[in-house]
Amino acid sequence: MILTDDEQRMRDGAEGPAVAAAMDLLVRYGQALDAERLCTVRNVAGTTTQPSPVKARLVAEGGWDRAFSIINLDADETLPIPPMAVPTCQLQQGFGPDSVGTVPYPPEFVELQTDGEAFVGARGVSVLATCTPYQVGNLPVRGEHCAWMESSAVVYANSVLGARTNCEGGASTGAASLTGRIPCWGNHHDAHRLGTHLVRVDTPVSSFRDWGLLGYAVGDVVQEARPVITGDHALPDLTDLKHFGAAAASSGGVEMYHVVGVTPEAPTVTAAFGGRRVPEPVVFGEAEKRAAYERLNDQGSDTDVDFVLLGCPHASLDQIHDVARALDGRRLADGTQLWIMAPRALAVVAERSGHTAVIEAAGGRVLTDSCPAMSRAAPLGTRVFATDSAKQAHYLPAILGIQAWFGTTAECVDAAVTGRWRGDLS
Amino acid sequence: MTGLRPAPARVVLRGRTVVPGVVTGEVLVSPETISGWGGIDPATGTITEARHPLAGVCFTGRILVFPGAKGSSGWSGFFQTTRLLGTAPIGMVFAVTTTKVALGAVVTRVPALADLDDDPVAVLRTGDRIRLDATAGVVELLARTEEEP
């Protein structure tokens, strides 16, 4: 791999041992990809603070310098970690102090994470603590090269914002944060951003649920490829596209998609395919919609719901407001809990706007920083949960060994109030 | 442990070096892609995804042969953890290169090969003994499992 003089200097240790370790990891990673060179990034979204048993051990052995060195730089020894070289944010993590008393999550992890936030914060990391950094202040511009992890954020950054990032990991984002470099490969190149599959929507897609079903079906068909969506769909909003991408990155590994006339690199079908031959369309009709719905609901058999989970990826203000309106004046059923996950910055606005008070008066909670899947934590005794998120319906049954129902936000709120699942695909 | 017999004919696959190194050992073939986050338990080195054909199977100390990675960007971190806990596979051979699996192989620090001239998932069988020379880009079948595929 070709390194610039600056990159070679970093590798040789001119900026200290942590930067040298970071450059060594990037070279090993770039060679593994067969990348020709590195590209400059000025926007990193990674994770350092999320607690785990291994991290707790490393911090006990040598502090957060050790945990960052071993995990985020893939080094063998404890290195002093300098300030971040480029703007960097912390993605979703474990549960924080606001969860105590509601979420069964180890108190020593809450403490460890709070300590970790101070460590990274002092080195210039913005602790956004969300899987949706683009909702709360990290909004890359079109064409900006980034190093992001979190599959739902990566697909949003590439597709909706027109920024350029691969699906990075904890070590590559750690190394990028100290060097401002990442292998120039895959989604950083024009040719790897063009559409590969044409998808024709033949059944109306107009709701948040429908965009999730479309994403789940499309991800299953195209896997890691790049779908181009056309046809009978309404103009999606941020929330719809957030759901669509997260679903497509769960059933498949979609990192880039185009919605013709909506997303920035697809003003036309021709442009989405870069002038190459447009393939025959894959059709998303009534049958495909029903198949996706049934697959997402094949982990549920008992209609007694004890847990309702909303806000995956982390909720927008519109979503929190919608839930508050649906819960206004109602009470959750005895034995049923409702959590809506949100970025802490938006939870502050929701509280200020009065939405949180309405949700809490009904017995629900607005929670931040994490989610039940990331932290393997749901209300004690949960057997059956309901969600409006295709991603949570996909992952949580395996992670927590519980049954799942997927439907609209209104159906989920109804389940929380009645304790019964009554959803259908109408 | 199943029986082994000499390889029927010389079976050699050639591919691209992902992580250099040489290792000899027993193969575990996954017919499907593997999830890291939500798909493996690093503490025990087993595949945990309920719908996966290898659910409950341990990869520790074996050469993992698989189509590629799927799922969350936590893939590499989960395989890095298997190294830190001593439950890692001893080599990786995979068909499709993505950032998840490439970084995962790098931080697991085991010999790894990709982009082979034949499909390793179809050619190799669980229980086969192979020599993986990821530096030279060669997989050689040393002994064939007696177990029927």
Side-chain angles (χ1 to χ4, degrees):
Chain A
M1 199 165 61
I2 301 161
L3 298 184
T4 64
D5 291 348
D6 274 352
E7 290 160 1
Q8 191 60 53
R9 277 183 55 255
M10 287 193 244
R11 193 184 187 189
D12 292 341
E15 295 184 25
V19 173
M23 193 50 77
D24 175 70
L25 184 273
L26 291 174
V27 169
R28 286 188 283 142
Y29 174 39
Q31 287 170 342
L33 289 169
D34 207 15
E36 285 179 11
R37 60 184 181 87
L38 302 173
C39 56
T40 302
V41 291
R42 59 177 189 187
N43 185 328
V44 178
T47 184
T48 298
T49 55
Q50 161 112 29
S52 72
V54 168
K55 199 169 290 177
R57 192 190 78 201
L58 292 169
V59 172
E61 287 168 1
W64 280 94
D65 280 319
R66 178 159 182 77
F68 195 100
S69 300
I70 303 294
I71 296 174
N72 291 112
L73 298 178
D74 198 49
D76 287 324
E77 51 196 285
T78 307
L79 307 169
I81 304 304
M84 304 294 120
V86 292
T88 298
C89 73
Q90 165 67 42
L91 292 162
Q92 78 275 20
Q93 46 179 5
F95 279 104
D98 63 314
S99 74
V100 174
T102 300
V103 182
Y105 187 68
E108 63 272 22
F109 276 7
V110 174
E111 203 175 310
L112 179 69
Q113 178 166 289
T114 302
D115 194 38
E117 289 178 12
F119 175 87
V120 297
R123 284 154 186 79
V125 174
S126 299
V127 185
L128 298 181
T130 176
C131 49
T132 61
Y134 50 87
Q135 291 201 100
V136 289
N138 186 343
L139 202 67
V141 298
R142 184 173 175 187
E144 184 169 323
H145 293 273
C146 301
W148 281 22
M149 58 185 294
E150 168 50 37
S151 60
S152 72
V154 166
V155 68
Y156 193 95
N158 279 314
S159 312
V160 182
L161 305 178
R164 298 183 170 216
T165 179
N166 290 312
C167 198
E168 297 298 343
S172 58
T173 51
S177 69
L178 296 190
T179 59
R181 302 290 194 281
I182 203 74
C184 194
W185 190 83
N187 302 330
H188 293 284
H189 293 299
D190 290 345
H192 289 261
R193 303 178 63 80
L194 299 175
T196 57
H197 293 65
L198 182 65
V199 177
R200 196 179 75 214
V201 176
D202 272 2
T203 184
V205 167
S206 56
S207 66
F208 177 77
R209 179 199 64 188
D210 290 350
W211 280 99
L213 290 172
L214 177 61
Y216 201 66
V218 166
D220 193 40
V221 170
V222 309
Q223 290 296 306
E224 276 80 32
R226 299 178 292 274
V228 177
I229 313 297
T230 59
D232 186 10
H233 61 76
L235 182 68
D237 64 12
L238 177 157
T239 304
D240 296 327
L241 293 175
K242 171 166 77 73
H243 193 199
F244 172 85
S250 298
S251 58
V254 174
E255 297 175 13
M256 174 88 200
Y257 64 82
H258 302 277
V259 181
V260 175
V262 176
T263 57
E265 294 173 47
T268 63
V269 171
T270 306
F273 287 95
R276 297 179 186 174
R277 192 184 66 82
V278 176
E280 286 301 305
V282 175
V283 172
F284 179 79
E286 204 50 43
E288 289 74 21
K289 187 181 193 176
R290 178 156 290 282
Y293 180 81
E294 286 176 358
R295 198 163 147 233
L296 282 167
N297 278 299
D298 72 2
Q299 302 292 305
S301 56
D302 187 342
T303 54
D304 288 336
V305 170
D306 35 37
F307 177 40
V308 172
L309 173 64
L310 307 172
C312 167
H314 278 177
S316 65
L317 283 171
D318 289 346
Q319 286 177 287
I320 300 172
H321 186 206
D322 283 348
V323 172
R325 272 190 302 206
L327 279 174
D328 195 8
R330 301 167 88 183
R331 278 294 302 171
L332 301 193
D334 280 346
T336 301
Q337 293 203 38
L338 178 147
W339 298 353
I340 178 163
M341 308 305 311
R344 196 184 293 186
L346 296 189
V348 169
V349 180
E351 184 169 16
R352 191 173 187 175
S353 309
H355 309 328
T356 306
V358 173
I359 291 167
E360 287 182 348
R365 283 297 308 269
V366 178
L367 292 165
T368 65
D369 294 6
S370 189
C371 73
M374 285 299 294
S375 294
R376 306 176 71 95
L380 288 176
T382 296
R383 290 177 50 251
V384 183
F385 91 111
T387 183
D388 61 355
S389 161
K391 180 174 181 173
Q392 287 284 337
H394 176 84
Y395 279 116
L396 207 54
I399 290 173
L400 290 180
I402 59 180
Q403 294 182 41
W405 293 111
F406 167 81
T408 65
T409 310
E411 287 169 346
C412 290
V413 169
D414 175 76
V417 169
T418 63
R420 287 293 170 98
W421 181 252
R422 299 188 294 198
D424 60 28
L425 184 64
S426 53
Chain B
M1 192 73 188
T2 57
L4 290 171
R5 52 197 154 91
R10 190 148 188 267
V11 176
V12 173
L13 298 174
R14 288 176 197 285
R16 183 180 68 76
T17 303
V18 176
V19 178
V22 183
V23 68
T24 297
E26 186 196 330
V27 165
L28 174 64
V29 176
S30 171
E32 291 185 12
T33 51
I34 293 173
S35 276
W37 181 79
I40 68 163
D41 176 14
T44 57
T46 52
I47 290 170
T48 53
E49 187 184 350
R51 290 165 172 151
H52 199 281
L54 295 187
V57 175
C58 178
F59 49 70
T60 304
R62 300 160 96 178
I63 299 171
L64 194 53
V65 176
F66 57 116
K70 69 172 174 181
S72 138
S73 57
W75 208 95
S76 56
F78 270 67
F79 275 88
Q80 182 189 49
T81 305
T82 68
R83 171 171 63 78
L84 297 172
L85 295 176
T87 63
I90 57 172
M92 292 187 186
V93 178
F94 52 86
V96 178
T97 301
T98 57
T99 49
K100 285 172 214 161
V101 72
L103 183 62
V106 165
V107 298
T108 309
R109 300 198 200 160
V110 292
L113 205 60
D115 306 333
L116 296 100
D117 54 8
D118 203 346
D119 180 5
V121 172
V123 172
L124 299 172
R125 297 181 198 165
T126 292
D128 285 350
R129 192 169 171 76
I130 64 171
R131 182 172 188 275
L132 166 60
D133 183 344
T135 307
V138 178
V139 173
E140 187 176 359
L141 181 62
L142 300 177
R144 178 63 99 183
T145 177
E146 284 184 349
E147 194 137 295
E148 290 304 312

